Amino acid sequence: MAAPPRAEIIDGIKTFIPLENNPDVLSRLCENLHISGGLGFHDIISTSPAFLQECYFRPCHALIVLAEGPIYQAARSAVNPTIPEYKGSGPSEPVIWMKQTIGHACGLMALLHVVFNLEGGRYVRPGTALDLLRQQAIRLRPTERAQLLYNSSFLEEAHMDAASRGSSNVPSPREDNRHHFLAFVQTDGKVWELNGGMNGPLFRGVLGEGEDLLSERGLELTARDFLTAAEQTGCNEMSIVAVTGAEAVAQG
């Protein structure tokens, strides 16, 4: 099999091929990053309570959302200015947040935000290159943390291989990317929006006992803004992938 394409430097910025928000592609990226096989990825093709209860695994403590530009702007253009610039570092921070400085890498950033924070990072295998990167990143300030990711050939190779295996035609890094990824992760009952294109992590609220991100309250704290924006803008290019851990079991 041919080697995956390389990233390109465009306007002075390292730029990747965009990922698809596709369970198979995300699983491939996890394999490339040597992430534990305990994670599961599930397409959410409806947010009706009946569909979620019947078809998907629970509990779900992380979501990866991909939204077309008009949807994203409608949902978040007024929110980002309200988020203070993040300056945190160290193991005492409630979440690990990373600024995105690589072009078209928002899918990788969403997955890293999930894996680094979900269940305390338990799906990062000890002793792997990703484990070392996570340990280094936790100690660094946001600017240095972003540079660590930018310089990582390991992340570049893992991403570019997975991105070149999607179901659609593989775009060039030079093609316009009109979509944006973001992640939602529940840690200790608190829900965080983790998006490397924003000023920092966004605390969304607290879930009650027995609630997860696919519960009514969970969706209100996560994808509902984007679903509403899709209706208001008339745009329909949006997808949600639920990420479940080892504790998830099939409903019904």
Side-chain angles (χ1 to χ4, degrees):
M1 181 177 292
R6 302 290 299 177
E8 295 187 33
I9 303 299
I10 302 174
D11 296 329
I13 298 173
K14 181 160 71 172
T15 304
F16 289 172
I17 294 170
L19 282 180
E20 291 182 14
N21 198 23
N22 175 318
D24 291 337
V25 170
L26 293 171
S27 294
R28 176 72 185 195
L29 182 54
C30 284
E31 291 176 12
N32 292 347
L33 295 172
H34 307 298
I35 291 167
S36 168
L39 286 181
F41 298 93
H42 315 275
D43 273 324
I44 303 298
I45 61 175
S46 170
T47 55
S48 70
F51 180 85
L52 293 175
Q53 175 132 10
E54 179 181 354
C55 296
Y56 286 95
F57 292 82
R58 310 290 285 274
C60 169
H61 299 310
L63 298 176
I64 293 177
V65 174
L66 175 67
E68 162 177 30
I71 297 173
Y72 180 79
Q73 290 298 321
R76 284 295 174 266
S77 61
V79 174
N80 192 38
T82 69
I83 303 173
E85 182 181 357
Y86 181 72
K87 298 180 180 179
S89 65
S92 63
E93 292 294 293
V95 288
I96 303 168
W97 177 84
M98 298 160 288
K99 182 177 179 63
Q100 179 186 340
T101 56
I102 303 168
H104 297 176
C106 52
L108 172 66
M109 298 298 295
L111 181 69
L112 291 178
H113 276 128
V114 168
V115 174
F116 281 4
N117 290 286
L118 184 63
E119 298 178 47
R122 64 173 287 191
Y123 298 100
V124 178
R125 286 180 170 145
T128 61
L130 189 65
D131 180 38
L132 176 61
L133 185 143
R134 182 178 184 271
Q135 292 182 45
Q136 291 175 321
I138 288 172
R139 298 193 297 266
L140 297 174
R141 294 288 185 181
T143 299
E144 291 75 20
R145 185 180 291 178
Q147 193 64 42
L148 175 71
L149 271 61
Y150 189 96
N151 292 340
S152 172
S153 59
F154 168 67
L155 290 181
E156 177 182 336
E157 292 167 5
H159 174 104
M160 294 296 281
D161 174 77
S164 65
R165 296 172 182 270
S167 59
S168 59
N169 292 331
V170 179
S172 161
R174 293 186 175 273
E175 291 183 31
D176 186 28
N177 180 22
R178 302 184 302 275
H179 299 78
H180 190 73
F181 278 90
L182 60 148
F184 295 96
V185 182
Q186 178 185 355
T187 62
D188 300 323
K190 298 178 180 179
V191 179
W192 294 88
E193 183 173 333
L194 302 174
N195 176 353
M198 297 180 80
N199 291 333
L202 177 61
F203 173 62
R204 296 288 293 157
V206 178
L207 292 180
E209 185 176 354
E211 293 180 321
D212 69 355
L213 297 192
L214 294 179
S215 66
E216 182 177 355
R217 169 70 173 164
L219 288 171
E220 287 297 323
L221 296 179
T222 58
R224 187 66 67 199
D225 288 352
F226 297 88
L227 293 167
T228 300
E231 293 178 0
Q232 293 173 342
T233 61
C235 298
N236 59 11
E237 293 186 27
M238 176 180 166
S239 62
I240 304 171
V241 169
V243 187
T244 55
E247 65 177 347
V249 296
Q251 299 295 295

